[in-house]
Amino acid sequence: MNQIKCIGVLTSGGDAPGMNAAIRAVTRTAIYYGFSVKGIKHGYRGLVTNDIVDLKSQSVSNIIQQGGTMLKTARCKEFMTPEGRKQAYDNMQATGIDALVVIGGDGSIAGAQDLANEYNVPIVALPGTIDNDLSGTDATIGYDTALNTIMEAVDRLRDTATSHERLFFVEVMGHTAGYLALNGAIASGAEAAIIPEMETEVDQLAELINNGFRKSKNSAIVLVAENPQTGGALGLAERVKKEFPQYDARVTILGHLQRGGSPTSLDRILASRLGESAVKALMEGQRNVMIGVRNSQIVYVPFSKAIKHDKGINRDYVELVRMLSI
C-alpha cells in the first residue's frame, strides 16, 4: 500500500456502455484518497507506445452519460508477446504508474494476468463487456444497456413482423455466451432463443419448427447468439431455406448497435460501485482480482476464475421462454 502513489487506468477490448462511468469512479476515488491518476489511451497499445496522460477530477467531468470510452480502446498484438509486455512495464515505470486498473472482458483480464505474473505489478480488473460472460459476477458493465438496446430493437421489429407471416432471426452478440439472446428473448417476448450453451444438447432450430411456432401466431421472432456453434442468424436462415422451405425466414443482425448508446442507470451505478471498489482493493493490498458483484455485494474474483467461462446459464430461463411463447 505504501508503495502505491499513482494508479493507471485503461479500457481494453470491445467497448461497453458504462466504461466512462467506471473511469470516472476510479479517477475520482483515487484522487479522493490522495493518489495521482494516469489514463492509458487505446488500451494495452497505449502502454506499449507510451500513450499516457494525466487525469484530474475535471478530466472526467460530463462523461458518465456517454457511451464508448474516453480513453479509447484497441486490440494490441504486441502486448501478447513477452517483448511487448516488457515495453509496457518499462513505460509504466518511466511514467510512475505503480498499480493498474484494467476495464474489459476476458481477453483484457488474461492480459492483465500475464503482466501481473511477469512483473509483480498490482493489478485489479473491472468486468467491462456487454456479453456478461465473466465468472464470479452477476453482471458486467454494459450488459444491461445492451440488453435494453436489443429489447427496443425487437419491439420495433415486432411491428413489421406482425404484418407478415414470417420467421425472423435476430442475431445478437454473445461470443461464447447466450445471456443477451436468452434474456433479450424474455424481455422482448420473442418466441425462442438459440444459444451456444444448448447447441450440443439439442437441435434448437428443429425443435422450434417441430414444436409448431405458428400454433397461435402468424409470425415468430427468434433471438440468436452470434457464436459459430449456433450457426448465427444467416446460417439458420439458410437451414430453413433448405430443410423447411415452407417457411419464409428473414434475418436482422444488430451488430455494433448493441455497443453504443448512453448507459442505463443500472450500468452507471454498477460501474461507479466497481470503480470505487477497485481503488479500495488496491489500498487493501489486493492484486490479480476482478472486482465483481454477487447478490448486490462487492466480491473479489481471482483472474483465473473470472476468465474460466464456467458461469453457466439459468435453465429456468430457457423453460420460461418456451412457456411464455405459446
Side-chain angles (χ1 to χ4, degrees), residues 210-228:
N210 294 334
N211 283 346
F213 70 88
R214 277 195 187 161
K215 282 186 293 186
S216 59
K217 303 177 182 181
N218 64 2
S219 66
I221 292 178
V222 179
L223 268 61
V224 184
E226 66 181 349
N227 189 282

Side-chain angles (χ1 to χ4, degrees), residues 79-311:
F79 188 78
M80 297 178 185
T81 67
E83 295 78 13
R85 290 190 292 274
K86 173 67 164 59
Q87 184 63 53
Y89 176 72
D90 289 344
N91 288 333
M92 286 179 63
Q93 293 289 99
T95 53
I97 296 174
D98 305 307
L100 198 60
V101 177
V102 171
I103 308 168
D106 55 354
S108 304
I109 294 176
Q113 186 177 39
D114 288 339
L115 184 63
N117 289 340
E118 291 170 3
Y119 295 100
N120 196 30
V121 180
I123 304 179
V124 298
L126 302 186
T129 169
I130 66 170
D131 295 344
N132 197 32
D133 60 346
L134 291 167
S135 299
T137 184
D138 292 340
T140 59
I141 296 167
Y143 172 66
D144 185 69
T145 305
L147 195 57
N148 276 274
T149 298
I150 291 167
M151 180 184 70
E152 291 167 6
V154 175
D155 285 350
R156 287 169 170 79
L157 185 61
R158 180 77 68 180
D159 292 341
T160 190
T162 54
S163 301
H164 300 273
E165 294 189 345
R166 287 173 177 163
L167 175 58
F168 283 80
F169 291 115
V170 180
E171 184 174 292
V172 301
M173 289 181 172
H175 189 44
T176 58
Y179 301 104
L180 285 173
L182 182 59
N183 286 289
I186 295 171
S188 64
E191 278 64 39
I194 294 181
I195 56 177
E197 290 89 343
M198 300 289 291
E199 193 59 22
T200 58
E201 301 176 19
V202 64
D203 186 337
Q204 296 175 87
L205 177 61
E207 184 181 66
L208 170 69
I209 300 293
N210 294 334
N211 283 346
F213 70 88
R214 277 195 187 161
K215 282 186 293 186
S216 59
K217 303 177 182 181
N218 64 2
S219 66
I221 292 178
V222 179
L223 268 61
V224 184
E226 66 181 349
N227 189 282
Q229 265 191 293
T230 65
L234 289 171
L236 290 168
E238 280 300 310
R239 275 195 62 194
V240 170
K241 185 177 179 180
K242 293 176 182 176
E243 300 174 30
F244 309 99
Q246 68 271 33
Y247 297 114
D248 186 11
R250 291 289 187 272
V251 170
T252 297
I253 299 176
L254 297 185
H256 285 80
L257 283 174
Q258 297 159 87
R259 292 198 184 281
S262 180
T264 61
S265 59
L266 286 179
D267 271 328
R268 297 184 197 194
I269 294 167
L270 175 66
S272 298
R273 290 185 66 199
L274 296 180
E276 177 213 24
S277 298
V279 175
K280 288 184 174 179
L282 289 170
M283 292 172 65
E284 294 171 8
Q286 294 287 338
R287 54 174 64 202
N288 289 4
V289 295
M290 179 190 77
I291 315 299
V293 60
R294 282 203 299 264
N295 299 320
S296 297
Q297 301 299 309
I298 295 295
V299 294
Y300 299 154
V301 185
F303 285 164
S304 56
K305 165 67 176 173
I307 60 178
K308 266 189 175 180
H309 290 290
D310 61 354
K311 189 173 185 176

Side-chain angles (χ1 to χ4, degrees), residues 25-48:
V26 169
T27 300
R28 291 191 168 172
T29 303
I31 291 170
Y32 179 86
Y33 285 110
F35 300 101
S36 61
V37 186
K38 292 188 182 291
I40 297 107
K41 306 292 286 289
H42 302 103
Y44 289 120
R45 191 172 78 188
L47 270 187
V48 175

